[in-house]
Structure formats: C-alpha cells, structure tokens
Amino acid sequence: MSRVDFSDPSTIAALADALTAAGVEGMEISWPAGNLRIVVSKEAGTQVSMMGNAQPGPAALAAAVKTPLAGHFYPLQRSDSDGAERLPRAVSSQDVIGFIRVGFVLLPVPAGKAGLLTRQLVEPEALVGFGDPLFEIEPL
C-alpha cells in the first residue's frame, strides 16, 4: 500500500473538494513529519494550513483533471509544432480539454471545474489508466 502525500497540492485540493461536497467544515491530519488542517468556510473560502517539513506553495489549491477511463490520451488541439498545447488558459467546467481514445472511439474529457489550466501532465498519445492525472487546474 502506498502512502498518501499530504503535501501534494492536488491531494490537498481533492480533500478540500470532498469536504465541501460532503458538507464537512474541516479536518485535521497528523503524521510524524507534520500536520495538515483544512477548514471549509462559506464566508471565507477554504483555508489550508500545514506544519512540519513541507509547506504548501501558491499552487496548494491546484487540482488534477483525471481521466475517466483507460485509453490513449489526445489533447484538444496541437497548436505548436512540437504538439504541446498552449497553456495556461482559462476553461469552464464544461470545456472539453482532451480526448481518450478507446479503439476507434474518441471520448471527450471535460475540465470538470472552472479555472486556469496550467500544465499538461501526459504526453499526447500516451496510454493512461483510470484516474490518471492529465492536467493541473487552478481556481480563478
């Protein structure tokens, strides 16, 4: 069993999203190297504090857009000669940001949340598994 990296911004963002969706006001996690506290407040927004060896950086609220199924990843567009997509760019929750090819079928991958698409984490045409992170997205 692998350990969860509580200093990873995408892990922190996923925990904050899960707390918000569940209507939970916050949580605190302690481990030998540190302490993570996430407080969800409708008035003040989500607050993250960390004590110990690792501190969350400015991207602490960044989240990963993950693939909904296994297949080959194709970005939405190839705008540069090397195939890299122009990032960062603003997206809405419904914007299609790429595709997963399974056989002859291309399935769209929506952003899932509005924000700034900052980084593509997978090379074009790479084989990806269910839940693999494809992009990093930060709230606007």
Side-chain angles (χ1 to χ4, degrees), residues 18-50:
L19 292 172
T20 303
V24 177
E25 294 178 0
M27 68 182 255
E28 185 169 341
I29 301 170
S30 298
W31 66 99
N35 183 354
L36 170 67
R37 178 180 296 155
I38 301 174
V39 178
V40 179
S41 168
K42 291 181 182 175
E43 296 83 30
T46 302
Q47 299 174 350
V48 176
S49 63
M50 209 173 210

PDB file of all heavy atoms in Angstrom, residues 18-50:
ATOM      1  N   ALA A  18     -13.703  17.211  -1.516  1.00  0.00           N
ATOM      2  CA  ALA A  18     -14.504  16.161  -0.884  1.00  0.00           C
ATOM      3  C   ALA A  18     -15.179  16.678   0.380  1.00  0.00           C
ATOM      4  O   ALA A  18     -16.349  16.364   0.639  1.00  0.00           O
ATOM      5  CB  ALA A  18     -13.631  14.951  -0.565  1.00  0.00           C
ATOM      6  N   LEU A  19     -14.475  17.479   1.175  1.00  0.00           N
ATOM      7  CA  LEU A  19     -15.064  18.050   2.388  1.00  0.00           C
ATOM      8  C   LEU A  19     -16.224  18.974   2.038  1.00  0.00           C
ATOM      9  O   LEU A  19     -17.281  18.932   2.661  1.00  0.00           O
ATOM     10  CB  LEU A  19     -14.002  18.813   3.180  1.00  0.00           C
ATOM     11  CG  LEU A  19     -12.896  17.977   3.815  1.00  0.00           C
ATOM     12  CD1 LEU A  19     -11.818  18.888   4.391  1.00  0.00           C
ATOM     13  CD2 LEU A  19     -13.446  17.056   4.876  1.00  0.00           C
ATOM     14  N   THR A  20     -16.016  19.810   1.014  1.00  0.00           N
ATOM     15  CA  THR A  20     -17.065  20.733   0.581  1.00  0.00           C
ATOM     16  C   THR A  20     -18.294  19.969   0.104  1.00  0.00           C
ATOM     17  O   THR A  20     -19.427  20.286   0.479  1.00  0.00           O
ATOM     18  CB  THR A  20     -16.540  21.655  -0.537  1.00  0.00           C
ATOM     19  OG1 THR A  20     -15.384  22.358  -0.048  1.00  0.00           O
ATOM     20  CG2 THR A  20     -17.596  22.647  -0.977  1.00  0.00           C
ATOM     21  N   ALA A  21     -18.073  18.951  -0.735  1.00  0.00           N
ATOM     22  CA  ALA A  21     -19.181  18.161  -1.275  1.00  0.00           C
ATOM     23  C   ALA A  21     -19.947  17.437  -0.169  1.00  0.00           C
ATOM     24  O   ALA A  21     -21.163  17.267  -0.255  1.00  0.00           O
ATOM     25  CB  ALA A  21     -18.667  17.159  -2.298  1.00  0.00           C
ATOM     26  N   ALA A  22     -19.250  17.013   0.876  1.00  0.00           N
ATOM     27  CA  ALA A  22     -19.888  16.280   1.965  1.00  0.00           C
ATOM     28  C   ALA A  22     -20.506  17.200   3.008  1.00  0.00           C
ATOM     29  O   ALA A  22     -21.177  16.735   3.935  1.00  0.00           O
ATOM     30  CB  ALA A  22     -18.865  15.355   2.637  1.00  0.00           C
ATOM     31  N   GLY A  23     -20.274  18.513   2.877  1.00  0.00           N
ATOM     32  CA  GLY A  23     -20.817  19.451   3.854  1.00  0.00           C
ATOM     33  C   GLY A  23     -20.063  19.461   5.167  1.00  0.00           C
ATOM     34  O   GLY A  23     -20.574  19.919   6.183  1.00  0.00           O
ATOM     35  N   VAL A  24     -18.817  18.968   5.143  1.00  0.00           N
ATOM     36  CA  VAL A  24     -17.987  18.925   6.350  1.00  0.00           C
ATOM     37  C   VAL A  24     -17.223  20.242   6.459  1.00  0.00           C
ATOM     38  O   VAL A  24     -16.732  20.769   5.458  1.00  0.00           O
ATOM     39  CB  VAL A  24     -17.006  17.730   6.291  1.00  0.00           C
ATOM     40  CG1 VAL A  24     -16.087  17.713   7.489  1.00  0.00           C
ATOM     41  CG2 VAL A  24     -17.779  16.429   6.189  1.00  0.00           C
ATOM     42  N   GLU A  25     -17.129  20.785   7.662  1.00  0.00           N
ATOM     43  CA  GLU A  25     -16.499  22.089   7.852  1.00  0.00           C
ATOM     44  C   GLU A  25     -14.979  22.037   7.884  1.00  0.00           C
ATOM     45  O   GLU A  25     -14.334  23.066   7.723  1.00  0.00           O
ATOM     46  CB  GLU A  25     -17.021  22.738   9.122  1.00  0.00           C
ATOM     47  CG  GLU A  25     -18.496  23.084   9.026  1.00  0.00           C
ATOM     48  CD  GLU A  25     -19.017  23.693  10.300  1.00  0.00           C
ATOM     49  OE1 GLU A  25     -18.248  23.858  11.260  1.00  0.00           O
ATOM     50  OE2 GLU A  25     -20.215  23.996  10.339  1.00  0.00           O
ATOM     51  N   GLY A  26     -14.388  20.875   8.093  1.00  0.00           N
ATOM     52  CA  GLY A  26     -12.938  20.810   8.118  1.00  0.00           C
ATOM     53  C   GLY A  26     -12.426  19.490   8.630  1.00  0.00           C
ATOM     54  O   GLY A  26     -13.200  18.618   9.038  1.00  0.00           O
ATOM     55  N   MET A  27     -11.119  19.357   8.570  1.00  0.00           N
ATOM     56  CA  MET A  27     -10.459  18.162   9.093  1.00  0.00           C
ATOM     57  C   MET A  27      -9.010  18.484   9.399  1.00  0.00           C
ATOM     58  O   MET A  27      -8.454  19.455   8.885  1.00  0.00           O
ATOM     59  CB  MET A  27     -10.538  17.006   8.105  1.00  0.00           C
ATOM     60  CG  MET A  27      -9.727  17.194   6.837  1.00  0.00           C
ATOM     61  SD  MET A  27      -9.915  15.814   5.712  1.00  0.00           S
ATOM     62  CE  MET A  27      -8.373  14.999   5.915  1.00  0.00           C
ATOM     63  N   GLU A  28      -8.419  17.658  10.246  1.00  0.00           N
ATOM     64  CA  GLU A  28      -7.011  17.798  10.579  1.00  0.00           C
ATOM     65  C   GLU A  28      -6.379  16.419  10.524  1.00  0.00           C
ATOM     66  O   GLU A  28      -6.923  15.451  11.040  1.00  0.00           O
ATOM     67  CB  GLU A  28      -6.841  18.404  11.972  1.00  0.00           C
ATOM     68  CG  GLU A  28      -5.406  18.693  12.314  1.00  0.00           C
ATOM     69  CD  GLU A  28      -5.265  19.541  13.571  1.00  0.00           C
ATOM     70  OE1 GLU A  28      -6.242  20.201  13.967  1.00  0.00           O
ATOM     71  OE2 GLU A  28      -4.166  19.535  14.135  1.00  0.00           O
ATOM     72  N   ILE A  29      -5.217  16.349   9.863  1.00  0.00           N
ATOM     73  CA  ILE A  29      -4.475  15.092   9.729  1.00  0.00           C
ATOM     74  C   ILE A  29      -3.093  15.311  10.317  1.00  0.00           C
ATOM     75  O   ILE A  29      -2.412  16.279   9.973  1.00  0.00           O
ATOM     76  CB  ILE A  29      -4.354  14.672   8.251  1.00  0.00           C
ATOM     77  CG1 ILE A  29      -5.737  14.491   7.636  1.00  0.00           C
ATOM     78  CG2 ILE A  29      -3.506  13.414   8.114  1.00  0.00           C
ATOM     79  CD1 ILE A  29      -5.730  14.315   6.131  1.00  0.00           C
ATOM     80  N   SER A  30      -2.690  14.417  11.207  1.00  0.00           N
ATOM     81  CA  SER A  30      -1.355  14.481  11.801  1.00  0.00           C
ATOM     82  C   SER A  30      -0.577  13.242  11.435  1.00  0.00           C
ATOM     83  O   SER A  30      -1.135  12.142  11.383  1.00  0.00           O
ATOM     84  CB  SER A  30      -1.451  14.575  13.326  1.00  0.00           C
ATOM     85  OG  SER A  30      -2.115  15.754  13.697  1.00  0.00           O
ATOM     86  N   TRP A  31       0.711  13.402  11.165  1.00  0.00           N
ATOM     87  CA  TRP A  31       1.628  12.303  10.901  1.00  0.00           C
ATOM     88  C   TRP A  31       2.972  12.698  11.481  1.00  0.00           C
ATOM     89  O   TRP A  31       3.144  13.850  11.892  1.00  0.00           O
ATOM     90  CB  TRP A  31       1.671  11.957   9.404  1.00  0.00           C
ATOM     91  CG  TRP A  31       2.252  13.011   8.498  1.00  0.00           C
ATOM     92  CD1 TRP A  31       3.515  13.058   8.005  1.00  0.00           C
ATOM     93  CD2 TRP A  31       1.596  14.172   7.978  1.00  0.00           C
ATOM     94  NE1 TRP A  31       3.687  14.163   7.201  1.00  0.00           N
ATOM     95  CE2 TRP A  31       2.515  14.858   7.175  1.00  0.00           C
ATOM     96  CE3 TRP A  31       0.318  14.698   8.114  1.00  0.00           C
ATOM     97  CZ2 TRP A  31       2.213  16.042   6.506  1.00  0.00           C
ATOM     98  CZ3 TRP A  31       0.014  15.881   7.458  1.00  0.00           C
ATOM     99  CH2 TRP A  31       0.946  16.522   6.670  1.00  0.00           C
ATOM    100  N   PRO A  32       3.906  11.785  11.596  1.00  0.00           N
ATOM    101  CA  PRO A  32       5.169  12.101  12.281  1.00  0.00           C
ATOM    102  C   PRO A  32       5.892  13.338  11.741  1.00  0.00           C
ATOM    103  O   PRO A  32       6.507  14.072  12.504  1.00  0.00           O
ATOM    104  CB  PRO A  32       6.011  10.846  12.071  1.00  0.00           C
ATOM    105  CG  PRO A  32       5.012   9.754  11.923  1.00  0.00           C
ATOM    106  CD  PRO A  32       3.846  10.376  11.221  1.00  0.00           C
ATOM    107  N   ALA A  33       5.810  13.607  10.430  1.00  0.00           N
ATOM    108  CA  ALA A  33       6.565  14.718   9.851  1.00  0.00           C
ATOM    109  C   ALA A  33       5.786  16.028   9.825  1.00  0.00           C
ATOM    110  O   ALA A  33       6.338  17.056   9.474  1.00  0.00           O
ATOM    111  CB  ALA A  33       6.997  14.361   8.432  1.00  0.00           C
ATOM    112  N   GLY A  34       4.506  16.013  10.176  1.00  0.00           N
ATOM    113  CA  GLY A  34       3.768  17.266  10.093  1.00  0.00           C
ATOM    114  C   GLY A  34       2.306  17.153  10.433  1.00  0.00           C
ATOM    115  O   GLY A  34       1.837  16.146  10.965  1.00  0.00           O
ATOM    116  N   ASN A  35       1.586  18.210  10.099  1.00  0.00           N
ATOM    117  CA  ASN A  35       0.184  18.344  10.440  1.00  0.00           C
ATOM    118  C   ASN A  35      -0.491  19.148   9.328  1.00  0.00           C
ATOM    119  O   ASN A  35       0.026  20.165   8.911  1.00  0.00           O
ATOM    120  CB  ASN A  35       0.098  19.085  11.776  1.00  0.00           C
ATOM    121  CG  ASN A  35      -1.296  19.234  12.284  1.00  0.00           C
ATOM    122  OD1 ASN A  35      -2.242  18.897  11.610  1.00  0.00           O
ATOM    123  ND2 ASN A  35      -1.420  19.762  13.486  1.00  0.00           N
ATOM    124  N   LEU A  36      -1.646  18.690   8.845  1.00  0.00           N
ATOM    125  CA  LEU A  36      -2.405  19.378   7.804  1.00  0.00           C
ATOM    126  C   LEU A  36      -3.789  19.691   8.348  1.00  0.00           C
ATOM    127  O   LEU A  36      -4.461  18.809   8.870  1.00  0.00           O
ATOM    128  CB  LEU A  36      -2.536  18.500   6.554  1.00  0.00           C
ATOM    129  CG  LEU A  36      -3.500  18.985   5.467  1.00  0.00           C
ATOM    130  CD1 LEU A  36      -2.983  20.270   4.821  1.00  0.00           C
ATOM    131  CD2 LEU A  36      -3.692  17.899   4.417  1.00  0.00           C
ATOM    132  N   ARG A  37      -4.212  20.949   8.230  1.00  0.00           N
ATOM    133  CA  ARG A  37      -5.552  21.353   8.659  1.00  0.00           C
ATOM    134  C   ARG A  37      -6.237  22.034   7.477  1.00  0.00           C
ATOM    135  O   ARG A  37      -5.696  22.964   6.896  1.00  0.00           O
ATOM    136  CB  ARG A  37      -5.486  22.308   9.828  1.00  0.00           C
ATOM    137  CG  ARG A  37      -6.880  22.786  10.273  1.00  0.00           C
ATOM    138  CD  ARG A  37      -6.819  23.733  11.442  1.00  0.00           C
ATOM    139  NE  ARG A  37      -6.282  23.003  12.577  1.00  0.00           N
ATOM    140  CZ  ARG A  37      -5.664  23.582  13.592  1.00  0.00           C
ATOM    141  NH1 ARG A  37      -5.498  24.877  13.619  1.00  0.00           N
ATOM    142  NH2 ARG A  37      -5.201  22.862  14.597  1.00  0.00           N
ATOM    143  N   ILE A  38      -7.437  21.554   7.130  1.00  0.00           N
ATOM    144  CA  ILE A  38      -8.248  22.149   6.073  1.00  0.00           C
ATOM    145  C   ILE A  38      -9.556  22.591   6.704  1.00  0.00           C
ATOM    146  O   ILE A  38     -10.255  21.786   7.314  1.00  0.00           O
ATOM    147  CB  ILE A  38      -8.533  21.140   4.940  1.00  0.00           C
ATOM    148  CG1 ILE A  38      -7.224  20.637   4.322  1.00  0.00           C
ATOM    149  CG2 ILE A  38      -9.412  21.781   3.866  1.00  0.00           C
ATOM    150  CD1 ILE A  38      -7.420  19.522   3.304  1.00  0.00           C
ATOM    151  N   VAL A  39      -9.879  23.877   6.558  1.00  0.00           N
ATOM    152  CA  VAL A  39     -11.107  24.436   7.099  1.00  0.00           C
ATOM    153  C   VAL A  39     -11.910  24.986   5.927  1.00  0.00           C
ATOM    154  O   VAL A  39     -11.429  25.817   5.163  1.00  0.00           O
ATOM    155  CB  VAL A  39     -10.826  25.558   8.121  1.00  0.00           C
ATOM    156  CG1 VAL A  39     -12.127  26.165   8.635  1.00  0.00           C
ATOM    157  CG2 VAL A  39      -9.979  25.021   9.263  1.00  0.00           C
ATOM    158  N   VAL A  40     -13.142  24.499   5.774  1.00  0.00           N
ATOM    159  CA  VAL A  40     -14.023  24.942   4.704  1.00  0.00           C
ATOM    160  C   VAL A  40     -15.042  25.902   5.303  1.00  0.00           C
ATOM    161  O   VAL A  40     -15.795  25.539   6.200  1.00  0.00           O
ATOM    162  CB  VAL A  40     -14.747  23.742   4.045  1.00  0.00           C
ATOM    163  CG1 VAL A  40     -15.678  24.225   2.947  1.00  0.00           C
ATOM    164  CG2 VAL A  40     -13.737  22.743   3.505  1.00  0.00           C
ATOM    165  N   SER A  41     -15.047  27.133   4.793  1.00  0.00           N
ATOM    166  CA  SER A  41     -15.962  28.152   5.288  1.00  0.00           C
ATOM    167  C   SER A  41     -16.645  28.805   4.100  1.00  0.00           C
ATOM    168  O   SER A  41     -15.983  29.220   3.153  1.00  0.00           O
ATOM    169  CB  SER A  41     -15.191  29.205   6.094  1.00  0.00           C
ATOM    170  OG  SER A  41     -15.991  30.327   6.342  1.00  0.00           O
ATOM    171  N   LYS A  42     -17.977  28.892   4.135  1.00  0.00           N
ATOM    172  CA  LYS A  42     -18.705  29.526   3.037  1.00  0.00           C
ATOM    173  C   LYS A  42     -18.375  31.008   2.941  1.00  0.00           C
ATOM    174  O   LYS A  42     -18.344  31.571   1.864  1.00  0.00           O
ATOM    175  CB  LYS A  42     -20.209  29.322   3.213  1.00  0.00           C
ATOM    176  CG  LYS A  42     -20.627  27.895   3.010  1.00  0.00           C
ATOM    177  CD  LYS A  42     -22.098  27.709   3.169  1.00  0.00           C
ATOM    178  CE  LYS A  42     -22.433  26.244   2.997  1.00  0.00           C
ATOM    179  NZ  LYS A  42     -23.819  25.952   3.256  1.00  0.00           N
ATOM    180  N   GLU A  43     -18.135  31.653   4.069  1.00  0.00           N
ATOM    181  CA  GLU A  43     -17.829  33.082   4.067  1.00  0.00           C
ATOM    182  C   GLU A  43     -16.392  33.362   3.642  1.00  0.00           C
ATOM    183  O   GLU A  43     -16.133  34.237   2.844  1.00  0.00           O
ATOM    184  CB  GLU A  43     -18.062  33.693   5.461  1.00  0.00           C
ATOM    185  CG  GLU A  43     -19.496  33.647   5.922  1.00  0.00           C
ATOM    186  CD  GLU A  43     -19.873  32.312   6.536  1.00  0.00           C
ATOM    187  OE1 GLU A  43     -19.011  31.639   7.126  1.00  0.00           O
ATOM    188  OE2 GLU A  43     -21.039  31.915   6.403  1.00  0.00           O
ATOM    189  N   ALA A  44     -15.430  32.607   4.182  1.00  0.00           N
ATOM    190  CA  ALA A  44     -14.016  32.900   3.946  1.00  0.00           C
ATOM    191  C   ALA A  44     -13.377  32.004   2.899  1.00  0.00           C
ATOM    192  O   ALA A  44     -12.224  32.197   2.548  1.00  0.00           O
ATOM    193  CB  ALA A  44     -13.249  32.774   5.262  1.00  0.00           C
ATOM    194  N   GLY A  45     -14.091  31.015   2.405  1.00  0.00           N
ATOM    195  CA  GLY A  45     -13.491  30.087   1.448  1.00  0.00           C
ATOM    196  C   GLY A  45     -12.720  28.999   2.168  1.00  0.00           C
ATOM    197  O   GLY A  45     -12.801  28.852   3.380  1.00  0.00           O
ATOM    198  N   THR A  46     -11.967  28.225   1.426  1.00  0.00           N
ATOM    199  CA  THR A  46     -11.198  27.133   2.009  1.00  0.00           C
ATOM    200  C   THR A  46      -9.844  27.643   2.472  1.00  0.00           C
ATOM    201  O   THR A  46      -9.161  28.339   1.745  1.00  0.00           O
ATOM    202  CB  THR A  46     -11.004  26.009   0.982  1.00  0.00           C
ATOM    203  OG1 THR A  46     -12.288  25.559   0.552  1.00  0.00           O
ATOM    204  CG2 THR A  46     -10.239  24.849   1.572  1.00  0.00           C
ATOM    205  N   GLN A  47      -9.472  27.290   3.689  1.00  0.00           N
ATOM    206  CA  GLN A  47      -8.179  27.683   4.236  1.00  0.00           C
ATOM    207  C   GLN A  47      -7.369  26.425   4.517  1.00  0.00           C
ATOM    208  O   GLN A  47      -7.876  25.457   5.081  1.00  0.00           O
ATOM    209  CB  GLN A  47      -8.365  28.478   5.526  1.00  0.00           C
ATOM    210  CG  GLN A  47      -9.146  29.749   5.332  1.00  0.00           C
ATOM    211  CD  GLN A  47      -9.433  30.435   6.651  1.00  0.00           C
ATOM    212  OE1 GLN A  47      -9.218  29.888   7.729  1.00  0.00           O
ATOM    213  NE2 GLN A  47      -9.924  31.653   6.570  1.00  0.00           N
ATOM    214  N   VAL A  48      -6.110  26.436   4.088  1.00  0.00           N
ATOM    215  CA  VAL A  48      -5.224  25.298   4.294  1.00  0.00           C
ATOM    216  C   VAL A  48      -4.039  25.770   5.114  1.00  0.00           C
ATOM    217  O   VAL A  48      -3.417  26.782   4.795  1.00  0.00           O
ATOM    218  CB  VAL A  48      -4.719  24.728   2.944  1.00  0.00           C
ATOM    219  CG1 VAL A  48      -3.738  23.607   3.174  1.00  0.00           C
ATOM    220  CG2 VAL A  48      -5.883  24.272   2.093  1.00  0.00           C
ATOM    221  N   SER A  49      -3.728  25.058   6.183  1.00  0.00           N
ATOM    222  CA  SER A  49      -2.520  25.351   6.945  1.00  0.00           C
ATOM    223  C   SER A  49      -1.766  24.054   7.180  1.00  0.00           C
ATOM    224  O   SER A  49      -2.363  22.997   7.334  1.00  0.00           O
ATOM    225  CB  SER A  49      -2.853  26.042   8.273  1.00  0.00           C
ATOM    226  OG  SER A  49      -3.615  25.194   9.086  1.00  0.00           O
ATOM    227  N   MET A  50      -0.453  24.157   7.155  1.00  0.00           N
ATOM    228  CA  MET A  50       0.389  22.983   7.292  1.00  0.00           C
ATOM    229  C   MET A  50       1.536  23.301   8.240  1.00  0.00           C
ATOM    230  O   MET A  50       2.105  24.384   8.179  1.00  0.00           O
ATOM    231  CB  MET A  50       0.926  22.612   5.917  1.00  0.00           C
ATOM    232  CG  MET A  50       1.196  21.178   5.737  1.00  0.00           C
ATOM    233  SD  MET A  50       1.607  20.920   4.018  1.00  0.00           S
ATOM    234  CE  MET A  50       1.007  19.294   3.884  1.00  0.00           C
TER     235      MET A  50
END
